[in-house]
């Protein structure tokens, strides 16, 4: 009973707890994850690494630590992340869950995924260090491309040029250009007229073409033009005259009437 009472005292219990903690500290995390063959132990070491990462991420948020201390903390965090990845690979190999596929992503204090360069990530105040700030300056996103339906909303009659005359600018310009072209044409006509009057009599002067002349369309004029022209038209078959055509039509009509009434008279006589 005396020994049992001694074991239950506060000093004895504190001493036993201290010895248990020393034993825990003696069991250090293996340097290589492949040496651990127990799935339970791998899960335990992975959780220990996650707690260390969370502790150091909380420390690196303080920008007053100095540039060198911030860089060291950032290096330690990246080293722990690599070690955590090795333990996750070992857990997967032992038949455990695939944390790299199903696990949460590494986020910063703003809830955004931690960016980095070629696998190296920056946390907290490390993103504001000289030379690192430029890595996080993102270019403005390009303007979104419009769809065909959105572009068709802006197309109207003005797009096709139907409303160019409504601005009051094009019509006065066209009228001015038209007046100038008429004046140039009249001046050129007068100059040619004066040259024709002062021209030598021996030299032939080409006559102006009468654009309002109407050509006669009589059959006799057409025949004259055919015979008087430079080209000669040769008829390979006999062409009947207008009088012969009229006589042939008259005979045909007469024959039709005779046949029609002749048949009727025969029917009445019968």
């Amino acid at each position: 009973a005396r020994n049992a009472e001694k074991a239950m005292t506060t000093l004895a219990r504190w001493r036993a707890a201290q010895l248990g903690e020393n034993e825990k500290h003696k069991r250090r995390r293996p340097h290589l994850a492949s040496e651990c063959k127990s799935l339970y132990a791998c899960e335990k070491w992975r959780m220990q690494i996650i707690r260390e990462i969370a502790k150091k991420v909380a420390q690196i948020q303080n920008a007053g630590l100095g540039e060198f201390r911030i860089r060291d903390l950032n290096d330690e965090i990246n080293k722990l992340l690599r070690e955590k990845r090795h333990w996750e690979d070992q857990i997967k190999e032992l038949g455990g869950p695939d944390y790299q596929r199903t696990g949460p992503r590494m986020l910063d204090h703003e809830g955004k995924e931690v960016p980095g360069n070629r696998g190296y990530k920056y946390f907290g105040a490390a993103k504001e260090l000289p030379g690192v700030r430029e890595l996080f300056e993102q270019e403005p996103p390009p303007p979104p491309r419009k769809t065909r339906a959105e572009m068709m909303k802006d197309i109207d009659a003005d797009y096709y040029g139907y409303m160019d005359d409504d601005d009051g600018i094009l019509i006065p310009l066209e009228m001015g250009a038209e007046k100038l072209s008429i004046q140039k044409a009249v001046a050129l006509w007068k100059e040619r007229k004066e040259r024709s009057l002062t021209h030598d009599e021996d030299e032939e002067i080409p006559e102006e073409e009468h654009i309002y002349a109407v050509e006669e369309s009589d059959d006799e004029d057409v025949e004259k033009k055919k015979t008087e022209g430079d080209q000669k038209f040769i008829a390979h078959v006999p062409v009947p005259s207008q009088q012969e055509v009229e006589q042939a039509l008259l005979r045909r009509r007469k024959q039709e009437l005779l046949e029609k009434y002749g048949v009727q008279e025969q029917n009445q006589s019968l």
Side-chain angles (χ1 to χ4, degrees), residues 59-73:
Q59 293 177 0
I60 203 172
Q61 304 298 329
N62 185 9
L65 295 175
E67 179 181 351
F68 299 103
R69 178 56 183 162
I70 292 173
R71 290 185 183 275
D72 292 340
L73 280 174

Side-chain angles (χ1 to χ4, degrees), residues 10-36:
T10 304
L11 180 61
R13 285 188 280 119
W14 177 80
R15 181 61 180 169
Q18 188 175 15
L19 292 174
E21 290 181 358
N22 291 334
E23 291 179 358
K24 290 182 181 180
H25 285 296
K26 289 180 182 179
R27 291 183 296 173
R28 294 182 179 179
R29 188 169 61 243
H31 183 68
L32 295 176
S34 58
E35 295 178 355
C36 185

Side-chain angles (χ1 to χ4, degrees), residues 2 27 61 77 106 125 173 200 227 232 254:
R2 185 64 179 172
R27 291 183 296 173
Q61 304 298 329
I77 293 171
M106 183 63 62
L173 294 175
D200 297 338
T227 55
K232 295 181 180 181
K254 194 176 192 180

Side-chain angles (χ1 to χ4, degrees), residues 103-171:
R105 297 180 180 179
M106 183 63 62
L107 305 177
D108 58 4
H109 66 285
E110 295 179 356
K112 299 179 181 179
E113 187 176 1
V114 179
N117 186 17
R118 296 182 181 179
Y120 190 87
K121 300 180 181 297
Y122 296 92
F123 300 85
K127 293 186 289 186
E128 302 297 330
L129 294 175
V132 181
R133 190 182 301 108
E134 290 77 6
L135 298 175
F136 296 92
E137 292 179 357
Q138 300 179 356
E139 297 182 358
R145 296 184 61 183
K146 292 184 178 180
T147 61
R148 183 177 292 274
E150 293 175 350
M151 291 188 292
M152 292 298 292
K153 290 180 181 178
D154 301 332
I155 294 177
D156 51 5
D158 192 13
Y159 176 80
Y160 294 102
Y162 292 117
M163 301 175 66
D164 292 345
D165 298 341
D166 298 344
D167 55 1
I169 299 175
L170 187 61
I171 292 178

Side-chain angles (χ1 to χ4, degrees), residues 196-224:
S196 64
L197 293 175
T198 58
H199 213 278
D200 297 338
E201 296 180 357
D202 298 337
E203 190 173 351
E204 295 182 359
I205 302 172
E207 295 182 359
E208 295 181 357
E209 183 181 358
H210 186 42
I211 60 174
Y212 297 104
V214 180
E215 296 181 357
E216 298 180 356
S217 60
D218 297 339
D219 296 336
E220 296 178 357
D221 295 338
V222 173
E223 291 177 0
K224 288 181 181 180

